[in-house]
Amino acid sequence: MISVLFVCLGNICRSPMAEAIFRHKVKDAGLEAEIQIDSAGTGNWHVGNQPHVGTQKVLKENRISFEGIRARQVNESDFAEFDYIIAMDEKNVSDLESIKKGNPTAYVGQLLSFLPDVSDKNVPDPYFTGNFQVVYELIDESCSRLLTFIRERNNI
């Protein structure tokens, strides 16, 4: 099974949105038995909480389930358990680098790196900006391209 972990700061806005969208795309592709998806935050402020109400609202508007998604903090073992760790911004990547130990084999990258026409590779944090719809659109397109990347890389 291929495993994908989405990471942001608090795990209530961007990464749970990416988890829900990617889970939806994986289901539509009939790959639920082949790809496992989760999300986590680099911080611990919201552990156990459901996604932010703004994230819930935009996901509901787009008929995407966020059932069962609860905030958790990323940890060192995630680098051994996940094949792909996809961060929302440069700071998340930097924080991930400080958490990992040894030489894990997980692919670590930024979600917006899958959008070649976007110059700023940082997904804006709607917790601060309120732009949940803009963030949804960026994540949705990036997740489509990420799924293509994973399918090609893993021959599925």
Side-chain angles (χ1 to χ4, degrees):
M1 176 157 300
I2 298 160
S3 53
V4 180
L5 178 68
F6 293 99
V7 176
C8 70
L9 181 61
N11 194 216
I12 59 166
C13 293
R14 298 172 293 171
S15 59
M17 186 184 298
E19 177 185 354
I21 291 169
F22 197 68
R23 194 167 58 185
H24 185 80
K25 291 179 182 298
V26 165
K27 181 179 181 182
D28 282 353
L31 297 171
E32 298 158 292
E34 297 184 55
I35 302 176
Q36 171 190 354
I37 306 136
D38 196 5
S39 64
T42 58
N44 65 358
W45 310 279
H46 304 290
V47 170
N49 292 350
Q50 289 186 324
H52 186 282
V53 293
T55 295
Q56 290 184 31
K57 181 178 183 283
V58 76
L59 290 172
K60 285 177 187 174
E61 288 169 353
N62 288 280
R63 296 186 178 114
I64 296 178
S65 172
F66 53 89
E67 183 179 341
I69 297 177
R70 295 278 182 178
R72 73 172 186 87
Q73 189 173 16
V74 71
N75 60 65
E76 183 184 332
S77 68
D78 288 327
F79 289 91
E81 294 173 18
F82 289 90
D83 301 303
Y84 297 89
I85 300 177
I86 308 298
M88 297 299 124
D89 62 37
E90 291 172 355
K91 175 73 168 115
N92 302 148
V93 172
S94 176
D95 289 342
L96 287 167
E97 291 294 325
S98 70
I99 295 168
K100 77 176 183 180
K101 304 285 187 250
N103 295 310
T105 57
Y107 171 98
V108 178
Q110 282 183 241
L111 183 60
L112 292 190
S113 67
F114 294 96
L115 293 182
D117 297 336
V118 174
S119 58
D120 184 357
K121 301 302 181 190
N122 296 308
V123 177
D125 192 341
Y127 186 83
F128 300 106
T129 66
N131 287 343
F132 286 90
Q133 183 60 42
V134 170
V135 170
Y136 174 86
E137 291 166 11
L138 287 169
I139 291 174
D140 183 56
E141 186 177 349
S142 298
C143 281
S144 292
R145 293 181 186 222
L146 172 62
L147 182 56
T148 299
F149 173 79
I150 290 172
R151 290 185 79 168
E152 289 173 357
R153 196 165 188 235
N154 295 278
N155 298 312
I156 59 168

